[in-house]
Structures are given as C-alpha cells and as structure tokens.
Amino acid sequence: MGLQRILFVMCVNNEALFQQAKRQIANLFIPPGFTVELYEVRNAKSMASGYNCAFQLEATYRIFIHQDTFLIHQGMIYDLIRLFDRHPQLGMIGLAGCVELPSSGIWWEGERLVGQVIEHRSDRYQLLRFDHGARESTDYVEVEAIDGLFMATSVHFPWRNDVFDGFHFYDSAHSKEMALAGYVVGVPVLQSPWCIHYNGDEFDHVSYERYRKLFVRHYM
C-alpha cells in the first residue's frame, strides 16, 4: 500500500494569512505511512463551492481550514487519526461547536458549547473555552454543529453550494448533512487548544441573516 494522504483544503483571498497558515501546517508532525498536502482554492464564489473543488481528489482524511486559522499543536494529526480510528461512526471533527442548536440556528447561542480556541481580535489574544463535557470520561463530545474554522472529515460527500452559495452557514449545513447520512459530528475534549484564530472586524450582517434563514428553513 502507498502512503495515505491527508489533504488540507483552504480558500484563499489574503496572501499574508495564507502564508502563515501554510507555515503552521508545514510544522505539524506527520505520522508514518501518511503524507500531508495543501490544496488552495483561489477566487472561490462561496466556501461550499470552493471546498467542492477538492471533492474528486483522493484522500483518507480532509481538513477544511480557514486561512486565518493557525495550527499550534504539532501533534494534532496524530490525535485526529487516533480519534477517527477509535470511533468509526465519527464522520467529522471540529474545534468548537454546540451539543444542541438553538432555534436561531446560530451555534454559539446554544447553551451546551464545546471546545477551545485562542482568538485574536483587535490586537488582543484570548482563550475561548467552552467546558461542557470537559470532565466526562470521553475523548470527544457529540455535537449538532461545528464552527467552520476547522472541519476534519473521514467520510466525503459534496458541500451544499446549491443552497449555501455564500460564506455563512456552510459549516452548520455540512454538520447536518453528516448527521443525515448517519455519521456523528464531534469536538475533541482538549487539554490545550489546537489553533489560534485571527478574527477580522468586518461582518456582513445582511448576508449572514439571509443564510441563517435558509439554514433554519432547510434543517431546523
């Protein structure tokens, strides 16, 4: 057998962020028998359509990651493979999410939030830590939706760019599609964060609300 491929997929429109994210991926420890590659998508019309560009590429695992997500846990790939190997029903892993979506469809408005991420916003770093499930004797918590900053999959099917043809709610939609296909979506129980997320200050409220309503109508 040849090497098993781990494919990082990233939509790019900022060269400085991309180069830093690329360096962080290059610093990860690679398990024996695996190879790591980065597939960059330029000028994507939407996140879902951009991610679908990589759909035909062969890979054992795919990691869909934002260009402003910088991986700092060098052993991340080892941990990821271990989780997928232990739990064949686990179709997708994220680093932040909610056990049950609220009626709004917005995952961070849920009551039982899971995961931890170092956030950089307005020149400040802060640890976002959601403690639900952290003290349970488990290595992951099953969730209904994860944030799109990091989405690792062991099973592969198309992203819903037929509905989510923008840059919002593609992540929650794919979480729902995983569940509809019979797979579990989970967030690892972490001792320390795997990434730093550089949040921008711009936010398109009109577009966000449009896709929120689409998501609620399709899945809630």
Side-chain angles (χ1 to χ4, degrees), residues 93-108:
I93 291 171
L95 298 182
C98 69
V99 173
E100 185 175 353
L101 279 168
S103 59
S104 66
I106 301 173
W107 75 262
W108 62 80

Side-chain angles (χ1 to χ4, degrees), residues 98 100-111 144 169 176 209 212-220:
C98 69
E100 185 175 353
L101 279 168
S103 59
S104 66
I106 301 173
W107 75 262
W108 62 80
E109 291 183 352
E111 293 184 0
E144 198 168 350
F169 282 92
K176 284 291 192 178
E209 181 63 12
R212 186 194 70 80
K213 289 178 179 177
L214 277 172
F215 176 79
V216 170
R217 186 157 68 243
H218 274 79
Y219 296 109
M220 298 298 289

Side-chain angles (χ1 to χ4, degrees), residues 54-96:
F55 181 70
Q56 299 299 331
L57 300 178
E58 292 293 328
T60 306
Y61 304 110
R62 290 178 171 86
I63 300 173
F64 301 90
I65 185 171
H66 286 182
Q67 64 183 358
D68 56 6
T69 297
F70 303 152
L71 298 172
I72 58 175
H73 173 38
Q74 289 182 293
M76 182 215 78
I77 294 176
Y78 278 86
D79 293 343
L80 201 65
I81 293 171
R82 191 178 300 114
L83 277 169
F84 281 132
D85 282 347
R86 285 178 180 170
H87 309 285
Q89 78 281 11
L90 191 58
M92 185 164 69
I93 291 171
L95 298 182

Side-chain angles (χ1 to χ4, degrees), residues 8-33:
F8 283 85
V9 183
M10 186 184 301
C11 293
V12 179
N13 65 5
N14 182 303
E15 195 62 31
L17 290 174
F18 169 65
Q19 291 299 329
Q20 180 60 39
K22 186 177 178 180
R23 284 191 290 270
Q24 297 300 125
I25 292 171
N27 287 332
L28 298 176
F29 299 143
I30 304 174

